Amino acid sequence: MKRLLLLFLVLATAVAWAQTPEEKGLAIAKEVDARDTGWGDFQAKMSMLLRNRQGEESLRQMRVKSMEVQGDGDKTLIVFDEPRDVKGTALLTFSHKTRDDDQWLYLPALKRVKRIASRNKSGPFMGSEFAYEDLASQEIEKYTYKYLRDDQLEGAPVFVIERYPVSHYSGYTRQVVWIDKARYIPLKIEYYDRKNSLLKTLVFEDYHQYLDRYWRAHRMFMRNHQTGKSTLLTWKEYRFRTGLKDSDFTRNSLKRAR
Amino acid sequence: MAAPGGALATKGRVVVRRLSLLAFLSLWALPAAAWEWSGNAAVEGRLFFQSPLDPRQYDQDGSVSFDPELAHEWNQGRDLFVFHPFLRIDARDDERSHWDIRELQWTHAGDGWEVLAGVNKVFWGVTEAWHLVDIVNQTDLVENPDGEQKLGQPMVKLSLEREWGILDLYALLGFRERTFPGLHGRIRSHPRVDGDLAAFQSGAGRKRVDFAVRWSQSIGDWDLGIAHFHGTARDPLLLPAVNRKGERVLAPFYDLIDQTSLDLQATLGQWLWKLEAIYHHSDYGSFYAWTGGFEYTLVGVADSAADLGLLGELLYDQRGDRSSTPFNHDAFVALRWTLNDEQSSELLGGFIVDWRNRSTLIDVEGSRRLGNDWKLSLQLRAWLDVDADDLQYPFRRDDYLQLELARYF
């Protein structure tokens, strides 16, 4: 029995050893996803401080509601509070694992709900350095992966993996992701543009743990190396398992959102 | 407060006014923190490039507007109260100086259903150039000749939201008359429309209760709506008349209609395909009309963050030159440039051309945020080669530039 177990261990190690960088990258991504599954729903406040090359700042404030969907991507509702001229504008997203996300935009001045083309994912979100695709639900199926190396980031042991967007409409050729080995959470992402030159770096800071399990960065700092602009995204007042239902993520709920 | 135009001083309005006063009084008795004001105050200037057809019409105009909204949400967002008045004071046109209750409503949402009672605004449709199926609210035409500004409509609405789609049932309590520019106003008919002479096919006149129903559903890439409206037409017939002052005018006549409509959008990658169609029936005639086309978006043009949208739509009305709309055999072509910058700068430029009589409307609209709280908007409209048979013929000398500066709070 002992010998059998030893044989099994040897075999298992051999299999692990035989893992290609692609397999290992995917395995890490799957573990990241698995550890962040089961949170149910959350509500939070989000603000973005935009800074241009001259140091001029402008502020965006919004509220976010999100819900996990079994077997598919999350449902998310974002309601804008600032700038004041877009107050009440709301964006409803049904993200999907393999096909394009469904998105509806509500324009309060006209009371109009507009279905919008979600392939416009590489565009800036609210004039910030975050593209829609950076903020979208990060489904495993949206990328292919490759493990690069083990490393250290500010003293923390990390996996460094590379991922390649599946969608042709992505603004990136690749992203390099630093993943904390202990917690399986991203610490840093480098985004490479369509010409494969370094475009942006995102740093995750101030992680808090919710429901004794789920890690959320309260600060996400995106720096655009090509334009000199940056955006500091701050999360506040996270509340998990607030009892959100499908009926909170509908075209009617968009119009009620305040 | 400026006196509302004579045509607007209806009984329904008095009821609305009393309701709003009551709402106002009860609101201020409650804790302030739970209630939120937002909205804007704006100054607007209009400059006309040519002298008017009628020497009594103005050349330049200025106005101020106030557009606040008070909202209160409780019961975890399941209950919502909104009070949204609107006021404009215009330097030159008495009819354009007006006020309205855009919204004064309470909404309660259950799981898969919703009721709304009060004054509300409803939008139906998908196209950009002309909103053909949008019928619930009356057009506040003095605000903008494009017809996109609407008057508040008193109603009770029940909405069911299920797997099979959304079913909206409306009882529209009372009728709102269209606003028309006054004697001194530009972009109007010659002679002008005198709202005081409004007549109705229905014996109940302005007190008539109208009904509407709409089913809408999203199926994959398709968004679809089918609706029926039974009641007083929003779009009046205009009949020559003489008013009490002996002035030759046009009198609006509001007939009873049945209108069935379809609106459809396919969202296919960077293409949006759109169609709106109506069948309109009344004792004074029946017709169908449709408008449809596409919007194609080029994302990140020339390695910038900007998007460039190409829009093309056709507009058809079976009545041809006898239509109540000038857009009866027309084509709309436009470019929409969205900069995606911190100031949310946008510019739309295009034209609507009648493919039979060549009458052309040029339309340019732009806006840009200044700082965090200000917004500058521009509108430029010009009419070229307007045919005498085209409904836009009276506007042939009304090319104008409008600038608005709004402070949001």
Side-chain angles (χ1 to χ4, degrees), chain B residues 179-225:
Chain B
T179 60
F180 292 98
L183 183 64
H184 305 291
R186 293 290 287 258
I187 329 167
R188 67 161 167 84
S189 59
H190 296 274
R192 73 179 179 105
V193 177
D194 187 345
D196 291 346
L197 301 182
F200 302 86
Q201 183 183 0
S202 166
R206 300 173 182 101
K207 287 183 208 153
R208 200 191 133 84
V209 177
D210 297 337
F211 295 96
V213 54
R214 183 169 191 261
W215 169 79
S216 60
Q217 173 71 309
S218 286
I219 307 162
D221 297 329
W222 296 78
D223 288 61
L224 160 78

Side-chain angles (χ1 to χ4, degrees), chain B residues 1 8 15 31 42 46 99 107 170-171 189 191 196 207 216 229 257 290 306 332 345 382 386 396:
Chain B
M1 197 161 273
L8 297 172
V15 171
R46 275 183 176 180
W99 68 276
T107 305
Y170 301 88
S189 59
D196 291 346
K207 287 183 208 153
S216 60
F229 171 86
I257 65 161
W290 57 264
F332 164 69
S345 311
V386 189
R396 63 194 179 278

